[in-house]
């Protein structure tokens, strides 16, 4: 099963042509990434401030398929494609109803905020991420 | 003389009705506040990371007079009304051409980021702020 | 009763000193204003695109009392102080637990998006706003 | 020659770990895209409101190479790799000094805002884009 969460298109997420301002999509994605970790009991606050670990994205490939408009509800479906030693390969499909609005492939690396080097996944993160693991989707 | 700086209304600053999204005005104001300090040689980066001082706003009164639209250039005129021991009372008038678009009264307190208590203005900040001091505008 | 809604402090709402970036508070407030109208069945989307009405703020007075940090949950309590012919006077208290974090007095004017003139409250808006009316709080 | 423009990392562009909040990079990129068109005399405002044309991105591939911090100045180098009938393939390298911070491949399609269908490049846009054309960089 993917991790699933819905986000409304807010007034402030739209540009003056009435469709989504694409940087707002990336801001929603940060919330979605954070919510996925919270779903298995790991808060980013604790990761950052107590364990001194961060989760920077190192690569993103985004496809915008159809425009979304004010009032649409975006359904995020986050698939874990691969869990490496300290990396995470996510594939997220964002829909409004049955229509695919945008998709993103995202490579994240768990990183120490002390020396900015990669850091192996802690056991609780790895176990949590396994819930959403779909190895058949790996590129 | 007030501190003066111009900022264009960017595509991303507008809402879907085509006028300014008001949180974007506050984001511009942060840049304007920062630029005023830079104008007399004090960078916020150095204040925050070397002197451990911050400049939170504690009160703001904003009046929105006329809408601004995409492509307008906003002229910020920042008047220093009063420099207290650790406080700063600013009055900023934002115009497009001769039209007043919005105004803001802003009370800032120089604060230690170590104990979150107020901290007297350093001499270089006080001397710089004096350049833009208009005591006759004090409320 | 005030209109009440809670919003978490998101990762992207914080500045590099770890506390709320104040323009993010204003962006949350837009969502809160919109949610209050939705609570009595009036969507901004329908107001804007079918009735050609907008709800610009014309004056705001904001006091920042205490900093909020990443992970805090902000409780917004929106009091309707006065409903004029086409104006709305709101007083919103934002708390984390028992602590008041910030407050805002906000004057909104219902406006035609066709001629940018004030427009009387439609009956459904007026009736909905009455639910949250606290005339004893009027300034 | 690529189109070149510099943007400072602003206070509000940083997250609470002190590095760039990646949605802020995308917001800067919108400004950079707009400035490139302005460099050859085509404003987005006129494109959108008089010609009813928009410039949505349909695909983006982003690599984040090194973190940028508050106070850094980002130099954007925008290379036009290919100009199709109505499409535009851009490759942008963002540096701080000699260090590459992030890169983006961006596919844009000129679109009618009336029917949301692709629209051939107007002559003035095509001529302007040719200035920055580097066919040897095409993927």
């Amino acid at each position: 099963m993917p991790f699933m969460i819905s986000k409304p298109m807010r007034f402030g997420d739209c540009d003056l042509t009435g469709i989504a301002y694409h940087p707002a999509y990336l801001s929603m994605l940060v919330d979605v990434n954070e919510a996925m970790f919270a779903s298995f009991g790991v808060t980013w606050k604790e990761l950052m401030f107590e364990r001194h670990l961060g989760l920077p994205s190192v690569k993103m490939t985004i496809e915008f398929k159809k425009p979304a408009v004010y009032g649409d509800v975006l359904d995020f479906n986050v698939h874990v494609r691969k869990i490496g030693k300290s990396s995470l390969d996510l594939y997220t499909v964002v829909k409004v109803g049955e229509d695919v609005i945008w998709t993103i492939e995202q490579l994240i690396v768990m990183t120490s905020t002390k020396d900015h080097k990669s850091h192996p996944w802690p056991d609780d993160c790895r176990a949590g991420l396994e819930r959403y693991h779909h190895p058949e989707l790996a590129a």
Side-chain angles (χ1 to χ4, degrees), chain A residues 16 20 26 34 48 56 58 78-79 81-82 84 87 90 123 132:
Chain A
L16 52 74
L26 275 290
E34 183 182 3
M48 291 175 188
V58 298
V78 187
H79 304 268
R81 294 202 299 198
K82 194 176 170 195
S87 67
L90 299 179
D123 288 344
Y132 308 118

Side-chain angles (χ1 to χ4, degrees), chain A residues 84-97:
Chain A
K85 195 184 164 201
S86 55
S87 67
L88 177 62
D89 177 351
L90 299 179
Y91 177 60
T92 301
V93 178
V94 186
K95 291 181 172 182
V96 172

Side-chain angles (χ1 to χ4, degrees), chain A residues 9-131:
Chain A
M9 283 275 294
R10 306 178 312 162
F11 183 72
D13 296 329
C14 300
D15 70 25
L16 52 74
T17 71
I19 64 171
Y21 181 60
H22 68 67
Y25 278 157
L26 275 290
S27 194
M28 287 180 195
L29 185 74
V30 173
D31 296 343
V32 169
N33 290 162
E34 183 182 3
M36 185 175 71
F37 278 79
S39 76
F40 48 77
V42 176
T43 69
W44 279 16
K45 185 177 181 180
E46 188 251 320
L47 268 187
M48 291 175 188
F49 293 110
E50 294 175 35
R51 302 200 220 176
H52 305 286
L53 295 170
L55 289 160
S57 289
V58 298
K59 186 167 181 185
M60 292 177 167
T61 300
I62 309 169
E63 294 193 44
F64 301 103
K65 307 280 195 181
K66 289 194 174 184
V69 299
Y70 181 39
D72 281 345
V73 175
L74 301 175
D75 297 321
F76 288 75
N77 297 271
V78 187
H79 304 268
V80 173
R81 294 202 299 198
K82 194 176 170 195
I83 311 169
K85 195 184 164 201
S86 55
S87 67
L88 177 62
D89 177 351
L90 299 179
Y91 177 60
T92 301
V93 178
V94 186
K95 291 181 172 182
V96 172
E98 290 305 304
D99 291 328
V100 175
I101 304 300
W102 60 287
T103 63
I104 181 166
E105 294 178 41
Q106 192 182 3
L107 184 63
I108 289 171
V109 175
M110 169 137 281
T111 302
S112 162
T113 56
K114 289 182 172 164
D115 60 11
H116 298 286
K117 290 187 178 160
S118 65
H119 184 280
W121 288 108
D123 288 344
D124 56 351
C125 292
R126 180 177 291 277
L129 292 168
E130 281 291 352
R131 294 191 199 181

